[in-house]
DNA sequence: TTCGTCATGTAATGGGTTACATGATTAC
DNA sequence: GTAATCATGTAACCCATTACATGACGAA
């Protein structure tokens, strides 16, 4: 999850760890603030596996080159950029529409990078998510129906609020699906939309 | 978290693991379905530390006593009940109103067991949660204001839907707080309300 | 010159999941 | 008798967190 969010963000521009974390928590509405304890190790792993690389083209840089630390023991900013491999991996991930793609977190990340996603994939993901949320709704509704009288008013409130939220999400998704379909009908070209 | 949910559920009646899991996923609206891989080890830990105990008073039981497995290698249902220690621990936890009590999951569990919670504590938790959600809202709103024009329509939608959800939660909490205060004004006796 | 915030990292830990292994009970 | 579901458990793993350690840089 973290890794894909990083790939997605680096798609826009090269960034260093601290910057990535801020973007993660603010720019991408649904995405949470990962801690440095997971962010930096992730960056390292991704660098080692070739998905990202240190960007030393930072113009007129006062920044220490990443390797300088080996000599000086000092650390400078380390700006990362996507590699070809990283782009490819992200494209693969973005096109995945398996059942996992519809759980809360993954769906949020998917949506956050929908501008890098093909029309048909977008539609499939939105519909899959809607189906999943609808199933959740049914589960909640029947559970509520079966246990309504045994429940104290707080649990009842909790259930009811949950049900309302789920209903709102379904409506929201339906709207997104509608406009998506309308767009596709108007301009049936596939591929990402900027 | 799991442990407290278990304590809370056992407060109602003795149950075995499988049963607990179902209750966890259905009866308690917000609570998620924990896997057996976390549930059974938790039960064991709790038994070992004396918070719960095997309930062998299950009437006219066809169930194997828990120890029989030592002889036969067979396993029967294991029904657990709260011990005095367990009740005490749960009461302590239920009264905790530190900042952790307001994050999503913990708040849900707290609310699910509000009928075991003192009035004043209920109010403090509801208000704390509201404050936290309001802060979240401010964060989201300012992030949105600062980055609105850089964002594609999907991210914008995500933000907007998040903001709406948060707003609804604040309103919901405010209603709960109001009725809670009204109740308290009518009948200022402290202690749990059934 | 010191304080806040930017910036990078590691080690220990936590709290869960998945996959697996086993067996009892019920309904058909 | 066999399939579904009830029921208990373990081992390996995953993905994150907290707490800690370090240091650069700009502003008061």
């Amino acid at each position: 999850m973290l890794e894909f969010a990083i790939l997605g963000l680096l798609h826009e521009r090269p960034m260093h760890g601290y910057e990535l974390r801020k973007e993660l928590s603010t720019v991408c509405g649904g995405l949470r603030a990962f801690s440095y304890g997971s962010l930096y190790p992730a960056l390292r792993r991704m660098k080692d596996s070739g998905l990202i690389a240190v960007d030393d083209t930072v113009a007129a840089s006062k920044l220490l080159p990443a390797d300088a630390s080996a000599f000086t023991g000092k650390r400078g900013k380390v700006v990362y950029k996507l590699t070809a491999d990283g782009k490819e991996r992200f494209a693969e991930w973005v096109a995945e529409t398996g059942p996992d793609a519809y759980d809360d977190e993954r769906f949020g990340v998917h949506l956050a990078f929908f501008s890098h996603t093909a029309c048909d994939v977008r539609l499939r993901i939105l519909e899959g998510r809607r189906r999943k949320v609808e199933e959740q709704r049914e589960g909640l509704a029947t559970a509520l129906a079966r246990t309504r009288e045994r429940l104290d008013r707080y649990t009842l409130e909790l259930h009811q609020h949950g049900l309302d939220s789920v209903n709102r999400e379904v409506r929201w998704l339906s709207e997104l699906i509608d406009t998506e379909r309308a767009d596709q009908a108007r301009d049936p070209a596939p591929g990402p939309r900027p």
Side-chain angles (χ1 to χ4, degrees), chain A:
Chain A
M1 201 75 309
L2 216 201
E3 304 208 357
F4 292 110
I6 291 173
L7 290 177
L9 285 178
L10 289 183
H11 228 277
E12 286 159 32
R13 68 168 189 279
M15 283 186 241
H16 58 267
Y18 199 87
E19 223 176 336
L20 278 165
R21 197 211 180 206
K22 260 201 303 199
E23 293 289 301
L24 240 31
S25 48
T26 64
V27 169
C28 306
L31 278 49
R32 21 192 273 263
F34 293 89
S35 69
Y36 298 120
S38 43
L39 182 58
Y40 287 111
L43 287 173
R44 173 147 208 194
R45 276 197 312 276
M46 293 167 75
K47 195 191 75 178
D48 288 348
S49 61
L51 296 175
I52 61 177
V54 173
D55 183 17
D56 34 13
T57 68
V58 180
S61 173
K62 305 186 315 181
L63 309 177
L64 295 170
D67 301 332
S69 54
F71 299 103
T72 64
K74 296 183 180 178
R75 287 181 295 203
K77 267 195 228 178
V78 185
V79 176
Y80 293 98
K81 63 181 175 192
L82 274 187
T83 62
D85 271 13
K87 277 180 195 167
E88 201 182 318
R89 185 80 196 83
F90 183 68
E92 274 170 38
W93 182 80
V94 130
E96 266 171 36
T97 56
D100 302 357
Y102 311 132
D103 60 43
D104 242 33
E105 285 226 336
R106 268 208 48 184
F107 172 72
V109 179
H110 260 295
L111 193 64
F113 298 120
F114 250 27
S115 49
H116 303 297
T117 307
C119 290
D120 55 325
V121 175
R122 286 203 293 253
L123 209 45
R124 232 171 326 164
I125 288 176
L126 289 171
E127 284 166 345
R129 174 66 183 173
R130 184 172 57 178
R131 201 169 344 115
K132 175 152 188 176
V133 177
E134 278 169 345
E135 275 162 29
Q136 232 173 282
R137 173 173 61 181
E138 304 323 321
L140 224 53
T142 60
L144 188 55
R146 274 193 296 102
T147 57
R148 177 178 290 279
E149 51 283 341
R150 299 169 37 209
L151 266 36
D152 61 281
R153 73 183 204 226
Y154 299 106
T155 318
L156 219 55
E157 277 291 346
L158 194 57
H159 264 105
Q160 196 56 56
H161 184 246
L163 212 47
D164 288 353
S165 300
V166 164
N167 276 321
R168 274 190 64 254
E169 184 166 355
V170 169
R171 277 200 300 276
W172 178 63
L173 288 166
S174 294
E175 278 171 38
L176 289 181
I177 288 169
D178 285 348
T179 63
E180 196 66 39
R181 271 208 264 258
D183 280 9
Q184 236 176 80
R186 212 161 19 79
D187 168 25
R193 188 187 302 276

